[in-house]
Amino acid sequence: MYEWDFTAVIENSDLLWQGLLGTLAITGTALAFGLPLGLMLALSRLSPRKWLAWSAGFVIEFFRTTPPLVQLFWFFFALPILMDIQMTPYLAAAITFSIQSSAFFAEVFRAGIVSIERGQWEAARAIGMQRPQAMRRIILPQAIKRMIPAFTERSIELMKTTTLVATVSYADLLYQANELAQKTFRPIEIFTATALIYFTVIFGLSLCVQALERRLAVSGDSTVR
């Protein structure tokens, strides 16, 4: 019977911690740039200008349907050749996952915006609001509340997808775990601990978002009353 020994995990916990910080850094960067870019793409796709809507739609569908690993390799290996620039693993990962996540966030924004009743737009026009002002002050605040579950799910998927950065030698949690597994010859313990770390972080995030959803629901009910 296999004898479990987590000594290697405990002795190298600082490296796993550094790896987790690397994972959070990439995830945070992708969210920071992906959300506003996703909103811009969604608004562009909803634009009455056909050329703008078509262009945004092409970008969205391209980055949603091509594998993220292919995108990562392209930005890391091909872009430096085409533009004669230096590309670090972090920069390649940040660009890849910011753009890739923006394509998915764009569809979340678009679905949330179109779910708002047409009467809200008509009410905004009736009081003299232009379309951008109505979007900012009336439509988006209502739509975002409906989007929170989808945003949460997409953010969790994003964090799990960032494990691909290990393929370009970025020191995220998976990369550090793989290095430790090879050095300590305790892969079962190392990857078990890694899985538990991912579970703890993602499950904790899910609980926080659920609490936020309940709070928003309560505040919404009280506003109605």
Side-chain angles (χ1 to χ4, degrees), residues 68-98:
L69 184 59
V70 174
Q71 298 171 20
L72 178 60
F73 281 176
W74 193 91
F75 282 111
F76 187 68
F77 294 110
L79 187 61
I81 297 174
L82 293 175
M83 301 188 65
D84 192 24
I85 58 175
Q86 294 291 326
M87 183 67 69
T88 64
Y90 173 81
L91 182 57
I95 294 174
T96 300
F97 294 115
S98 293

Side-chain angles (χ1 to χ4, degrees), residues 118-131 133-134 138:
R118 189 173 183 83
Q120 298 290 327
W121 289 100
E122 295 172 352
R125 285 197 296 268
I127 59 177
M129 284 189 179
Q130 298 298 319
R131 182 181 176 86
Q133 189 179 17
I138 296 178

Side-chain angles (χ1 to χ4, degrees), residues 29-224:
T29 300
L31 288 173
F33 288 97
L35 282 169
L37 182 56
L39 177 59
M40 291 174 57
L41 286 171
L43 294 178
S44 297
R45 192 165 194 179
L46 292 171
S47 172
R49 297 182 177 88
K50 291 185 178 181
W51 66 268
L52 184 58
W54 186 91
S55 299
F58 174 79
V59 172
I60 291 170
E61 295 305 323
F62 180 84
F63 283 97
R64 288 179 67 219
T65 55
T66 53
L69 184 59
V70 174
Q71 298 171 20
L72 178 60
F73 281 176
W74 193 91
F75 282 111
F76 187 68
F77 294 110
L79 187 61
I81 297 174
L82 293 175
M83 301 188 65
D84 192 24
I85 58 175
Q86 294 291 326
M87 183 67 69
T88 64
Y90 173 81
L91 182 57
I95 294 174
T96 300
F97 294 115
S98 293
I99 298 177
Q100 198 249 359
S101 62
S102 72
F104 285 92
F105 286 135
E107 287 300 278
V108 176
F109 276 117
R110 187 175 69 88
I113 290 170
V114 300
S115 72
I116 301 301
E117 295 75 10
R118 189 173 183 83
Q120 298 290 327
W121 289 100
E122 295 172 352
R125 285 197 296 268
I127 59 177
M129 284 189 179
Q130 298 298 319
R131 182 181 176 86
Q133 189 179 17
M135 178 69 72
R136 185 178 69 254
R137 301 185 61 180
I138 296 178
I139 305 302
L140 274 180
Q142 297 180 71
I144 287 175
K145 290 183 179 181
R146 301 181 182 184
M147 297 181 223
I148 289 177
F151 279 138
T152 304
E153 184 65 26
R154 186 58 223 162
S155 298
I156 290 173
E157 289 300 317
L158 171 62
M159 186 174 183
K160 290 188 288 187
T161 305
T162 59
T163 54
L164 296 175
V165 299
T167 61
V168 293
S169 300
Y170 176 76
D172 74 326
L173 180 56
L174 181 60
Y175 179 86
Q176 295 286 29
N178 189 51
E179 290 291 301
L180 287 176
Q182 295 182 42
K183 292 178 181 178
T184 62
F185 302 102
R186 308 298 299 189
I188 296 179
E189 290 84 350
I190 295 295
F191 287 114
T192 298
T194 302
L196 290 174
I197 293 171
Y198 274 112
F199 170 78
T200 302
V201 173
I202 293 175
F203 185 66
L205 174 64
S206 299
L207 291 179
C208 292
V209 173
Q210 289 174 18
L212 176 61
E213 289 177 8
R214 289 193 295 268
R215 183 173 181 178
L216 290 174
V218 171
S219 64
D221 291 341
S222 61
T223 301
V224 172

